[in-house]
Amino acid sequence: MTTTTNKRSVAGKMSTLDRFLAVWIGIAMVAGLLLGRMIPGLGDALGVLEIDNMSLPIALGLLIMMYPVLAKVRYDRLDTVTGDRKLLISSLILNWILGPALMFALAWLLLPDLPEYRTGLIIVGLARCIAMVIIWNDLACGDREAAAVLVAINSVFQVLMFAVLGWFYLSVLPGWLGLEQTTLDVSPWQIAKSVLIFLGIPLVAGFLTRHFGEKAKGRTWYEDTFLPKIGPWALYGLLFTIVVLFALQGEQITSQPLDVVRIALPLLAYFILMWGGGFLFGAAIGLGYERTTTLAFTAAGNNFELAIAVAIGTFGVTSGQALAGVVGPLIEVPILVALIYVSLALRKRFADQATPTAP
């Protein structure tokens, strides 16, 4: 217990880079949008650097972002997470039952007259987060080992269930309700490829780094010397990814401001409701601050890269479905960054509850 408390007290001392994260992300978003608008052909030039609808610069940024955080995970402690049935079952319910259902309801409620954007949002709701949530959880001092396990579970379910749930929410359920139906053409390989690249590569790299680093120089050197050196690269990768993403889509976003606002409203409601619901549920069942935070962020985050790739591959790069996918991170990034600060503010309440009252 002392070890965990000490570790989190150290993590709570945020660096200058961490403390002003919202500022850096805001600058990165604006810079990306301006670059996309002011430099003719930049989006096309960056778009050339892709394989099978997957942007290589974005892939590079995500890999750089995830590697340091996954190198911090203590893989010898994962069994303490896999034995926590309350956490695992809660995550599965929030991610694969409530999340897609909530996005479906919000999309139809707020965008009944815009079928392309509505379909795009439903696709976003089906793509559960396996990348950026690692960063949000770490900055909010969540449980790293729990995040690694929940993200891995989401990845498996994503490969198995994404196409099935897409068929259900776009075709079957609307048919039952007498609503307009849509089809989704996506292969399990496309989803598996996203999982293997954005989670598999940094996960293996992080595990091997810790294994051989500790074996060569010990855990003290690894955690006190090596990790602080690579830690900032997670945020560098995040900021690079945001700049590239918004440079690629800057013209599309800024040329349709009213449409972006319409798409943003259900997304805003979705992220707040999913995070708030996850946090309240985790606190109610007694998960403690670290795992409650992890549950909330893994429930709220989405795999925007997969959602955009599926929308482009099925409906085309200029489609409304693709625009809805692009607006996803435009809303998700600042909202979840704000919720990091909310989490840290709520951490004291958990500490107060855990402290026994003097007789």
Side-chain angles (χ1 to χ4, degrees), residues 4 32 46 70 72 86 116 182 194 197 226 229 233 276 290 348:
T4 303
L46 291 173
L70 289 171
K72 294 178 182 178
K86 289 193 296 184
E116 290 190 359
T182 309
S194 174
I197 291 174
F226 179 72
K229 288 183 178 179
W233 283 93
E290 294 178 16
K348 187 176 183 299

Side-chain angles (χ1 to χ4, degrees), residues 317-332:
V317 69
T318 60
S319 66
Q321 291 88 343
L323 177 61
V326 168
V327 175
L330 176 68
I331 306 303
E332 177 178 352

Side-chain angles (χ1 to χ4, degrees), residues 49 58 85 109 122 134 142 152 160 171 194 224 257 259 279 282 287 295 310 325 331 346:
L49 300 173
I58 290 178
R85 291 187 179 182
L109 180 65
I122 292 172
I134 297 286
L160 297 176
S171 182
S194 174
D224 295 346
D259 288 351
F279 201 93
L287 289 181
L295 180 66
V310 168
I331 306 303
L346 292 172

Side-chain angles (χ1 to χ4, degrees), residues 5-23:
T5 303
N6 288 343
K7 181 181 75 170
R8 290 309 174 190
S9 65
V10 172
K13 297 176 181 178
M14 301 175 74
S15 67
T16 301
L17 185 63
D18 292 342
R19 279 201 308 273
F20 295 99
L21 177 64
V23 176

Side-chain angles (χ1 to χ4, degrees), residues 2 29 49 51 59 84 136 145 174 191 204 222 241 284 293 313 316 330 339 341:
T2 303
M29 293 172 68
L49 300 173
I51 297 177
D84 190 341
W136 310 141
E145 290 71 36
I191 302 161
V204 171
Y222 184 83
T241 302
T293 297
L330 176 68
L339 291 172
Y341 294 96

Side-chain angles (χ1 to χ4, degrees), residues 154-237:
N154 273 351
S155 300
V156 173
F157 267 77
Q158 205 158 99
V159 173
L160 297 176
M161 297 302 298
F162 186 92
V164 175
L165 289 174
W167 166 72
F168 178 76
Y169 280 106
L170 293 174
S171 182
V172 176
L173 184 57
W176 290 349
L177 299 175
L179 303 172
E180 182 181 347
Q181 297 171 281
T182 309
T183 57
L184 183 63
D185 181 20
V186 57
S187 69
W189 164 241
Q190 185 176 4
I191 302 161
K193 178 181 63 179
S194 174
V195 169
L196 288 172
I197 291 174
F198 297 126
L199 178 63
I201 292 175
L203 185 62
V204 171
F207 172 79
L208 293 177
T209 301
R210 177 173 280 276
H211 176 74
F212 289 109
E214 288 188 356
K215 188 175 181 180
K217 294 198 173 184
R219 175 163 290 185
T220 300
W221 172 87
Y222 184 83
E223 296 197 342
D224 295 346
T225 303
F226 179 72
L227 289 182
K229 288 183 178 179
I230 66 169
W233 283 93
L235 294 184
Y236 300 154

Side-chain angles (χ1 to χ4, degrees), residues 34-54:
L34 291 177
L35 286 172
R37 291 287 292 182
M38 296 174 62
I39 302 179
L42 178 62
D44 293 334
L46 291 173
V48 171
L49 300 173
E50 68 176 34
I51 297 177
D52 194 19
N53 292 325
M54 184 173 294

